[in-house]
Every structure is written in structure tokens, then in C-alpha cells.
Amino acid sequence: MKVWPGVPIPIGPVFDGFGTNFSLFSEIAERVELCLFDDKGVETRIELPEVTGFCWHGYLPEVEPGQRYGYRVHGPWDPKNGHRCNGAKLLLDPYAKAIEGQVQWNEAVFPYLFKEGFESINDSDSAPFMPRCVVHQPHFDWEGDRRLHIPWHETIIYETHVKGLTARHPDVPPDLRGTYAGLAHPSIIDYFKALGITAVELMPIHYFIHDQHLIDKGLRNYWGYNSIGYFTPHNEYASDKRPGGVIAEFKNMVKALHYAGIEVILDVVYNHTGEGNHLGPMLSFKGIDNDCYYRLVEDRRYYMDYTGCGNSLNMRHPHVLQLLMDSLRYWVLEMHVDGFRFDLASTLARELHDVDRLSAFFDLIQQDPVISQVKLIAEPWDVGEGGYQVGNFPPLWTEWNGKYRDSIRDFWRNHDQPLGEFAYRFTGSSDLYENTSRLPYASINFLTAHDGFTLNDLVSYNEKHNAANGENNQDGEDHNRSWNCGAEGPTKNPDINTLRDRQKRNFLVTLMLSQGVPMLLGGDEISRTQRGNNNAYCQDNELSWYDWENIDQPLLDFTRKLIHFRRNHPVFRRRRWFLGQRIHGSEVKDIIWVTPDGEQMAEENWEEGHFSSLGIFLNGTTIPNPNPKGDPSTDDSFYLMFNAYHESVTFKIVGARWGAVWQLEIDTNKGSFAEEKIKMTAGKNITLAPYSVIILRLIESTPETL
């Protein structure tokens, strides 16, 4: 086959309408073979004729979209010095836009011989067991689609799984269930719109592998945190099985969601790859330039591991940084996604060993004209020393607020914590984010996520029940801050079930009425359970999939009303801090903290610690930020009463200074929004049931009202 010199940039395969240019970066390579495969799997090897700036390249005028390919990189096999080239191994292109098939586990995909140890070399051809890269068709009719740019303070995130969401959905055609097309089905989009969320955060959809140890146990890598293709939508989520068909299907999904006013955020795993440590397979980076792509320790046979997954990408190398930035820009410019949630983001900040919040990666993000304009969410921790970095990310970034999750869980299980801890979390965590000039929406508030208990299980289990994972219940978090309400797991006790239902509503009300950006774990609104499994990463089955046949309809109805309640009232989604700095004090006018006897909290109340019952007055007339058209933003005022005590507590409604007549909006003890427009006057008493919330709206003021 004829091959022309081609060009080194851009890296990856580029079809120009006449042929395809291929370019692969490797500093260590001595020669690089492009391997083309026909429909029968017959391989043709073509040595790339040029190398420019460590990019090996060539142009093939006869190669069109749909062509399957891979690489073989020839160079030194010298594990003691960090070099692992092995020309017997077919390698995936790090810049491939589509990949067909999955790894078939065989000793041939490992670069060493099992019996002789990891420094030996394995000369067996891995091609029969490897997936194939596919030259993609870059042309797509977006029909005018563009990113939605929904403001952060108006955002409500729904974390979900492409497959699990629709795998059992009765209204999605069987051939579309568990796919991108299934997620874009009208029944699912109508569900999202009725729920009121503004963004879906998809668990990893970059092409990933299923670990051999899971396959051997009859399990699969359901969560997908094992990426090996950073430009490629995972092919198992595509209903279109044609070579490269996954790309158009993903784009159609994004286009359909955008048309419905819903943004798409991707959970991305740039901290490690599926190749694992020195005992792992050779699939791509390890055989292309191991010393370049991975962080190695002093003994260069081994890998630095800040993730617990075997390796860490080398964020100090310019070509690794280029790979990540090229990937991010591709997903924004070519795939039209609206933002990213970065898994174990502290790993990306490590230049040497310590976490450096001004590392090269964040500097690049800051100045990039594309990536700096989309939603950026950090999971602000990793498993390395000093990896817990909540509150320490740069100004462009929002963060999963783990302290919010822990504080609100502790409050509703009546666990002792300072009043100030709850107050800071409920008001947007100014103690974490204000000193970097960030605003309340820097806090991504969540109570549950894919990692841990679902909301149903949070109120149903004290202990994890992970036996199905095959690790003797040793995996997963031991300290869940959960409370089973009196029985472990399902029970027929009506009092316990009533309390659990009330606790779910309490958690959801707290989440949706807190300042910051709420993130709802998909399925919590229908009481999805994982039967106490808090680490269902390998459960690609009905344990993890949404059970649409047995939904909790009352909870779903409540959640829908609650989300729309938040969206209708800007007092719960302010763009500025309360008073800019303080959250309590005698001069505060926009938020008042109240004891059950109706008196404003004194300073000693803040210092003495735990409060299980408190009231909060939110003044809707003092919202400092204008609406989108620049006009003053005003809202109703609200009085929120929280009782996390195990007995009923009588509250005295705040005095006339805060309002004359109030109307009941929410009582979590009653099970839903108030149907009757019950009115209550200032100074009157009201009883809160154990573990309940009451929300009052001001409907009549007095001359002295704030």
C-alpha cells in the first residue's frame, strides 16, 4: 500500500476526504509499524516513513473511515530503566476516536512471561486478543447545536450511568437499552425534564477495559474507571455496531439532550490507565513510551500509584499534558459536551510528590480558550499522602464537597458536630471557597454518589454488605455515616419504614435548599437500592441497574416538586455569599439562625457545639445578585425549621420583625408538599415530629419586617 510522508501534527488519525494521516508520539521508539486489518482480521504492516519531533507519521491515500488499525512500536526492552517496548504487541492508538472490540485475556497481551517474571520478554503476538482502533468519520450534521452555558447557580446535576439508567426501562426498546441511544430516547428525556434537572453527569464513557480478575470471577468493570482510550466513547454502550458507529450515536445523544435544555458532563479518569502496574498488560501507553507516559519510582521497574489502581499518568511530561488537553478540547469542540468531572483530581496536581494547586495541568486549563469556558468539577482527593484537597482548587474550579456530605449525614443521624459546621455547609461553604474568590456554586453539594450507599441504603443499613463483590466484604468504605433507623436492611416494621421515608425526604430537602450546586445520585428519587453494597463497581447486573418496575412513586413526586421549588425561588440559589463574608451575627439581615424558642442564636450558641433542632430565616428581599437581565432579584422569604432529634420539638415561629403571617409549604412528616394552604402567625407555636423539616413561606409582612 502506498504511503506518503504525511505530517506530524495533529497527532492521531485524520481523514481529509481523500486519505488518512497517521501520527504517533514516542521518544523511545526506534521504528513504528502501522497495522491495518481487513474485515477478516488479516493484518498488513506498514512502517511509518517519517519522524518529526518524536512524532512518527505517514499519509495513506487509500485509507477511509471504518479502517481498523493499531500500532507496533519497536525499541528497547529494558525494564530496569523504565523502557518496555515490545514489537510483538499490538497497541491501541492513544488518539483513536473509535475502538472496536474488547481485550480478550490471554498471556499474549502481557509483555512478560508469567513463569519467568515481569522482567522477561514475551514474544507472543497479542493481535488476536486485542481490540482494534477505527478510523472515524469526522463529518456530522449538528443542526446548529451548541453548548447551553447554563449558569452554575441554576444548575442541578443528575449523576447517572449510561447502561444502568435504561437497562431495565420498559419504555425503551430492548435493542436500545443500556446505550447512548437509549439515554436519548424520548421517554428518558421526558423523565429528565419532568424531574427538573439541568445536567446529566455521566459516569466514565471513555473506552475502558474489564479487569481480568473481575472477568475470572464472572464480574465486570461496571463503573468504568479503567480508561485506555481518552478520545473514544466506550463501544459497549453503542447500539450501532458498525465500525466507528459509536461516535455518531454519542453525538446524537448530546444533540437530543441539548435540544431538551439538558447539559452533558463527563466523568473523566485522566489520573491512571487500565494498564495497571508492572504486572499489568501491555495495551497502549506502556508499549509506546512507558517512561514518558507514567510516573515511575526510583527503582524504575515500578510505578508511582496515587490512585490505588496501579499507576499514575506523568503530568510532568509535556506530551502527556498535550494528550489530556487535546482530549478535553476534542470532547468540547467535536462532541459538544458541556463540562467534566475529574476523578481523583488531586493526582493531576502532583508535579513531584506534594499536591501543587498551581501545577502545570491547572495552568494549562486556566489559559486554554476552550476548556476554561466549560464546567470543571474536581473530585478533590486521591489515595496518596496529602491527597485530601477539598477547598484548595483554583478559582475556575468547582469541587465535590465531601465535607458537605459528611456534615449533613451526621446532622440527620443526630451525631454530635458543631453548629457552625452545619451552617457553613448549608450556606455554600464560604470557609472553603471564599478565600480563592470563588462563590457558593463552587460547592457541588451531594449526599450520595456512585461510590457508597444509595439514599435508600443510607437510611436502611449501618454496615456495608459487599459479599457479591467476591472480596470477603473487605472492599468499600467502613465509615458510612449511615443509620438504618432501627433494623438492618428491608423490614416489615411500619414505624421503621415510615421513619426511613421521612429521612429520605429530609435529606432531599436539605440538599435542594442548600446554597451551592446540588447533585442528585440517579435513582435516589425512586428509592433505588443496591441491597447495602456500597462499592458496586463490578456489579453490571440488576443490583446496580435502575428498577423501573418498582419505583417509589411518592418519593419521585416529592423530588420533582422539590426540584422545581428550588428552581422557582432564587433565595435558595444565590450567586453571592450571605453578607459577602459572615453567616451569622447581630447585623446580618439576609439570614437569621434561630433557636426553637424563636430567639436569634447568640454567639455562645455557636461556640457550645451540637444543635439537633434549629430554625433558619432566609430573606428574599436582600438577594445581592441581579437576575440575568440585570434587574434586582427578589423572592419570597422563608422560615426553615429542622428537627434531627428523636423526639418531637415545639418551635416558636419567629416574631413580627421577620414577618406577620406564614404559609406552610413543606412538612416532611406529612409525606409531600402541603396541599392545604395552612397559615400561621408570628409568635405561635408549631410542633415538629422527630426527624422532620417544616418550610414556611412569608405571605404577609409588617412595617417593621426586615
Side-chain angles (χ1 to χ4, degrees):
M1 184 176 291
K2 182 180 291 186
V3 55
W4 301 351
V7 294
I9 301 295
I11 301 175
V14 178
F15 174 68
D16 61 8
F18 300 97
T20 302
N21 190 83
F22 293 89
S23 179
L24 179 74
F25 164 78
S26 175
E27 287 186 19
I28 197 66
E30 296 168 357
R31 63 188 182 93
V32 173
E33 290 179 308
L34 172 67
C35 307
L36 304 181
F37 294 87
D38 64 17
D39 292 341
K40 297 181 179 180
V42 176
E43 178 182 359
T44 300
R45 302 184 187 183
I46 300 171
E47 191 164 322
L48 292 180
E50 300 281 336
V51 55
T52 306
F54 300 117
C55 289
W56 299 77
H57 54 93
Y59 180 90
L60 279 72
E62 300 176 19
V63 169
E64 297 180 342
Q67 174 65 60
R68 301 169 179 89
Y69 74 99
Y71 287 108
R72 296 180 188 272
V73 174
H74 301 268
W77 172 264
D78 185 9
K80 290 183 179 180
N81 288 305
H83 306 312
R84 296 176 179 270
C85 295
N86 186 337
K89 308 307 172 186
L90 183 72
L91 304 175
L92 297 173
D93 181 358
Y95 278 75
K97 307 306 187 295
I99 297 175
E100 182 181 63
Q102 271 285 329
V103 175
Q104 303 301 310
W105 291 109
N106 183 279
E107 186 173 357
V109 302
F110 292 82
Y112 62 93
L113 296 168
F114 291 170
K115 291 183 178 180
E116 298 185 23
F118 70 91
E119 293 186 61
S120 64
I121 190 166
N122 183 344
D123 292 327
S124 299
D125 184 8
S126 68
F129 311 100
M130 283 290 291
R132 310 283 192 253
C133 303
V134 180
V135 176
H136 72 295
Q137 170 57 261
H139 305 297
F140 180 79
D141 184 4
W142 280 104
E143 299 180 292
D145 175 79
R146 61 187 65 190
R147 296 199 313 276
L148 297 178
H149 298 289
I150 296 173
W152 263 124
H153 70 287
E154 296 180 5
T155 298
I156 300 173
I157 298 172
Y158 186 86
E159 189 198 26
T160 191
H161 188 283
V162 170
K163 181 176 183 179
L165 176 68
T166 64
R168 304 175 67 186
H169 200 289
D171 295 333
V172 175
D175 60 327
L176 300 185
R177 292 174 188 168
T179 69
Y180 304 115
L183 196 149
H185 189 268
S187 64
I188 300 300
I189 290 182
D190 289 346
Y191 178 83
F192 288 152
K193 292 173 68 176
L195 188 58
I197 54 100
T198 69
V200 291
E201 182 178 303
L202 301 180
M203 291 178 65
I205 58 83
H206 285 169
Y207 180 85
F208 62 86
I209 64 170
H210 298 281
D211 314 67
Q212 183 178 14
H213 76 276
L214 293 179
I215 297 297
D216 290 345
K217 292 190 292 186
L219 302 170
R220 287 162 56 85
N221 185 357
Y222 175 66
W223 284 357
Y225 290 94
N226 214 12
S227 302
I228 198 68
Y230 291 124
F231 294 78
T232 307
H234 191 66
N235 56 17
E236 292 179 309
Y237 300 154
S239 62
D240 186 343
K241 301 303 182 183
R242 295 173 297 177
V246 63
I247 298 175
E249 184 169 331
F250 183 90
K251 290 179 176 179
N252 276 314
M253 178 197 71
V254 173
K255 184 167 65 172
L257 288 166
H258 281 180
Y259 185 77
I262 299 169
E263 293 185 315
V264 179
I265 298 171
L266 301 185
D267 190 339
V268 291
V269 190
Y270 291 116
N271 50 69
H272 74 280
T273 78
E275 290 186 299
N277 60 18
H278 59 287
L279 300 177
M282 178 173 285
L283 309 175
S284 181
F285 307 97
K286 190 178 287 186
I288 294 171
D289 199 326
N290 184 66
D291 187 41
C292 158
Y293 281 109
Y294 293 117
R295 292 285 300 272
L296 305 179
V297 298
E298 186 175 353
D299 183 342
R300 304 190 68 75
R301 295 175 300 172
Y302 303 105
Y303 296 81
M304 188 76 74
D305 182 10
Y306 291 117
T307 67
C309 299
N311 62 54
S312 300
L313 280 174
N314 184 9
M315 302 303 296
R316 297 176 295 175
H317 196 287
H319 274 279
V320 177
L321 290 170
Q322 180 185 0
L323 171 76
L324 269 60
M325 295 302 294
D326 286 348
S327 170
L328 291 169
R329 279 191 291 267
Y330 174 79
W331 288 98
V332 173
L333 296 176
E334 299 297 326
M335 307 297 264
H336 285 208
V337 304
D338 302 277
F340 305 94
R341 178 265 189 189
F342 292 80
D343 177 66
L344 301 180
S346 294
T347 302
L348 304 176
R350 293 183 183 272
E351 293 231 327
L352 295 173
H353 177 72
D354 294 334
V355 174
D356 176 7
R357 61 181 289 270
L358 296 178
S359 68
F361 176 72
F362 296 109
D363 291 342
L364 287 173
I365 293 285
Q366 180 75 32
Q367 59 81 41
D368 189 272
V370 175
I371 309 307
S372 63
Q373 302 303 307
V374 303
K375 287 182 165 67
L376 301 172
I377 305 171
E379 182 185 30
W381 49 77
D382 63 22
V383 300
E385 181 181 355
Y388 192 78
Q389 293 292 313
V390 173
N392 291 333
F393 278 72
L396 279 180
W397 291 72
T398 65
E399 301 177 18
W400 269 26
N401 191 342
K403 291 188 176 182
Y404 178 92
R405 171 200 59 205
D406 296 346
S407 173
I408 305 305
R409 286 188 178 192
D410 280 347
F411 178 80
W412 281 115
R413 66 188 181 113
N414 199 14
H415 182 78
D416 186 36
Q417 66 173 326
L419 172 62
E421 179 66 18
F422 175 86
Y424 273 121
R425 303 309 146 235
F426 185 79
T427 57
S429 298
S430 59
D431 58 326
L432 299 177
Y433 305 116
E434 189 181 13
N435 62 354
T436 53
S437 298
R438 289 186 282 177
L439 296 170
Y441 50 78
S443 178
I444 305 298
N445 298 331
F446 69 105
L447 298 168
T448 54
H450 67 272
D451 187 1
F453 283 145
T454 65
L455 180 61
N456 180 83
D457 293 358
L458 184 67
V459 301
S460 303
Y461 296 90
N462 286 346
E463 308 294 336
K464 65 186 181 183
H465 297 266
N466 297 356
N469 297 351
E471 299 178 44
N472 298 315
N473 208 37
Q474 299 299 307
D475 61 303
E477 176 61 56
D478 291 317
H479 187 44
N480 294 287
R481 290 182 162 90
S482 60
W483 177 43
N484 65 19
C485 299
E488 188 73 356
T491 179
K492 294 182 179 180
N493 186 312
D495 293 335
I496 292 176
N497 287 328
T498 296
L499 175 56
R500 288 175 176 176
D501 289 342
R502 189 160 68 246
Q503 284 286 68
K504 294 175 198 176
R505 294 190 291 270
N506 292 335
F507 276 119
L508 290 170
V509 166
T510 309
L511 175 65
M512 290 300 164
L513 302 190
S514 295
Q515 304 298 323
V517 178
M519 185 188 81
L520 179 68
L521 172 62
D524 276 355
E525 75 281 8
I526 58 174
S527 290
R528 183 173 72 88
T529 179
Q530 292 173 174
R531 299 197 288 275
N533 192 319
N534 73 352
N535 188 35
Y537 75 102
C538 56
Q539 300 297 327
D540 188 1
N541 51 52
E542 293 186 355
L543 184 71
S544 297
W545 302 341
Y546 297 26
D547 182 2
W548 293 105
E549 296 289 349
N550 296 288
I551 68 172
D552 185 338
Q553 189 64 49
L555 185 64
L556 175 57
D557 293 340
F558 180 82
T559 308
R560 286 171 173 169
K561 292 178 181 178
L562 180 60
I563 290 175
H564 287 282
F565 184 74
R566 175 187 174 87
R567 295 185 66 172
N568 290 334
H569 291 289
V571 72
F572 299 115
R573 44 182 177 82
R574 295 162 52 110
R575 290 194 290 118
R576 306 291 179 200
W577 301 110
F578 289 102
L579 279 190
Q581 294 181 341
R582 300 170 62 87
I583 62 170
H584 66 90
S586 60
E587 74 278 19
V588 178
K589 305 300 182 186
D590 46 10
I591 182 170
I592 309 293
W593 300 85
V594 186
T595 63
D597 60 9
E599 297 298 322
Q600 187 171 346
M601 292 276 188
E603 196 63 34
E604 57 266 24
N605 297 136
W606 293 84
E607 297 172 356
E608 67 188 24
H610 179 59
F611 266 72
S612 58
S613 305
L614 72 155
I616 307 172
F617 169 77
L618 296 178
N619 193 338
T621 66
T622 60
I623 301 175
N625 45 282
N627 64 26
K629 295 183 179 179
D631 298 323
S633 182
T634 60
D635 193 9
D636 297 316
S637 294
F638 289 89
Y639 185 44
L640 293 68
M641 290 170 280
F642 295 82
N643 180 25
Y645 194 52
H646 66 273
E647 295 181 355
S648 297
V649 173
T650 298
F651 276 73
K652 184 177 181 179
I653 299 176
V654 287
R657 184 182 178 216
W658 288 278
V661 181
W662 301 83
Q663 180 172 288
L664 179 64
E665 294 290 331
I666 301 173
D667 182 352
T668 60
N669 184 48
K670 301 299 184 183
S672 186
F673 278 64
E675 298 294 336
E676 299 179 24
K677 303 303 181 182
I678 301 174
K679 297 180 180 180
M680 305 175 189
T681 56
K684 299 297 183 180
N685 289 335
I686 182 172
T687 299
L688 266 70
Y691 303 106
S692 65
V693 181
I694 283 181
I695 310 295
L696 304 180
R697 180 171 60 88
L698 181 62
I699 61 172
E700 187 177 323
S701 303
T702 63
E704 66 267 31
T705 299
L706 289 171

